[in-house]
Amino acid sequence: ATPTAVTVGIGRGAELGVLVRNGEALEVSKNLTTVVFDKTGTLTRGKPDVTDIVAFGMPEDRLLAVAAAVERNSQHPLAVAVVRRAESAGVTVPASERFNTFGGRGVSAVVDGEVVLIGNQPFLLERGIAVPPKAEMRVTAFQDVGKTAVLVAAGGELAGILAIADTLKPTTRTAIADLKRMGLTVTMITGDNPRTANAIAREVGIENVHAGVLPQEKAQEVRALQERREVVAFVGDGINDAPALAQADVGIAIGSGTDVAIESGDIVLIRDDLTDAVAAIQLSRKVMSRIK
Ligand code: ADP
Ligand code: MG
C-alpha cells in the first residue's frame, strides 16, 4: 500500500475510535487469518464478583476474613473481588505477613500464625493440600457455569472455596460473530482453568481455547500460531498481555487497559468495545485494497 493509504486509514480509524499507533499494522491487518483474545478484561469486563462461599470447618465470615487478609496485598481482579466482598459483609480483616505471589496460580501469606494459600487447584495440590472429592465436585460445578473457583487453605488444610464470576461485555458476542463471518479463526487464551474458559468460550461462540496459560507463555502461543503461517492479531488489556501484543502481527490493546498493554499495541481501541476491533480490521481491508 502507498503511504497515502495508511494515512487515510489512520484518519478513518480516528473517526471510528480506533487509534492507529503503527501504520504498518493496517497493512498487515488485511492479511489476518486469526484473532486471539485474552479472556479477563478483554472478552469479559474484568470486574468479577464473589458469588458463592463454601466454608469447610469454619464460619463463612471467618473464611472471607482470612482470604481477604491475604488478597488485600494483591492487585489481581480476583483479589479485588474477595476484598470487596469482605468489606460488604462487614467482617474484620486480620493482619497478614510474608505475602507472596505466584504468577498465574495464586498467593500466600501468614495470617494469625497460619500459612494461608489461595489460588487454583493445581497450586494447592503442588503445595500438598488435599482436595477431597466432595470439594472437587463443587469446584467443577462452579467452573462448568463459567465461574472461577478460588481455593483457600489454612494451616495445611482446605478451608473453603470462593466462586467468582465475571460478566461478558455487552458487545463481545456480536464482535466474535462478525469476525467469524469475515472468515477469521477466533481463539481465546487465558490463565484461567480449562473448564471455566470453555464455559465462557461457549457463551461467546469461540471454539478454540488455550487455557491454563502462564502469563509469560501467552507470547509463545502467538509465536506458535505464526509458525503455522497464521497472521495473528492479539487483543488484550493486561500487563500479562504486553509481550503477546508485541509478538502478534497486529497488537490491539483495549484503551481502558493497563498502560503497558497500550504501549505494546499497534492499534488502541478508545472505547471499551470489541466491535471497534472488528471495525479496525474491516477498515484496513477496505482502505488497503482500494488504494494501491
Ligand atoms: P487471567 O489470564 O485470567 O488474567 P492469571 O494468569 O492472572 O489469569 O491467573 C490465572 C489463575 O491463577 C487464576 O484464574 C486463579 O485461579 C489464579 N490466581 C492468580 N492470582 C490469584 C489471586 N490473587 N488470588 C486467587 N487466585 C489467583
Ligand atoms: Mg486480561
Side-chain angles (χ1 to χ4, degrees), residues 38-42 218 236-238 241:
D38 158 60
K39 174 171 77 67
T40 313
T42 301
K218 285 188 176 180
D237 70 314
D241 300 324

Side-chain angles (χ1 to χ4, degrees), residues 177-197:
D178 288 347
L179 293 172
K180 285 161 75 175
R181 216 173 295 127
M182 288 162 71
L184 294 161
T185 303
V186 180
T187 299
M188 173 201 286
I189 198 162
T190 179
D192 214 339
N193 73 90
R195 276 181 183 274
T196 306

Side-chain angles (χ1 to χ4, degrees), residues 38 40 71 74 76 78-79 104-107 118-120 148 150 190-192 215 218 240:
D38 158 60
T40 313
E71 295 286 25
S74 168
H76 200 280
L78 296 172
R105 277 139 72 231
V107 289
I118 311 184
N120 54 28
T148 300
V150 169
T190 179
D192 214 339
K218 285 188 176 180
N240 284 355

Side-chain angles (χ1 to χ4, degrees), residues 51-98:
T51 57
D52 309 79
I53 303 172
V54 183
F56 302 120
M58 64 170 73
E60 282 183 14
D61 276 1
R62 174 65 188 163
L63 176 68
L64 206 47
V66 169
V70 180
E71 295 286 25
R72 195 149 63 168
N73 302 289
S74 168
Q75 266 29 269
H76 200 280
L78 296 172
V80 175
V82 172
V83 172
R84 201 180 330 114
R85 180 61 182 259
E87 276 166 9
S88 71
V91 303
T92 307
V93 178
S96 68
E97 49 189 1
R98 289 194 270 146

Side-chain angles (χ1 to χ4, degrees), residues 53 67 167 264 287:
I53 303 172
T167 47
S264 310
V287 176

Side-chain angles (χ1 to χ4, degrees), residues 151 214 230 239 273:
L151 286 76
L214 292 175
E230 298 281 343
I239 300 171
D273 184 339

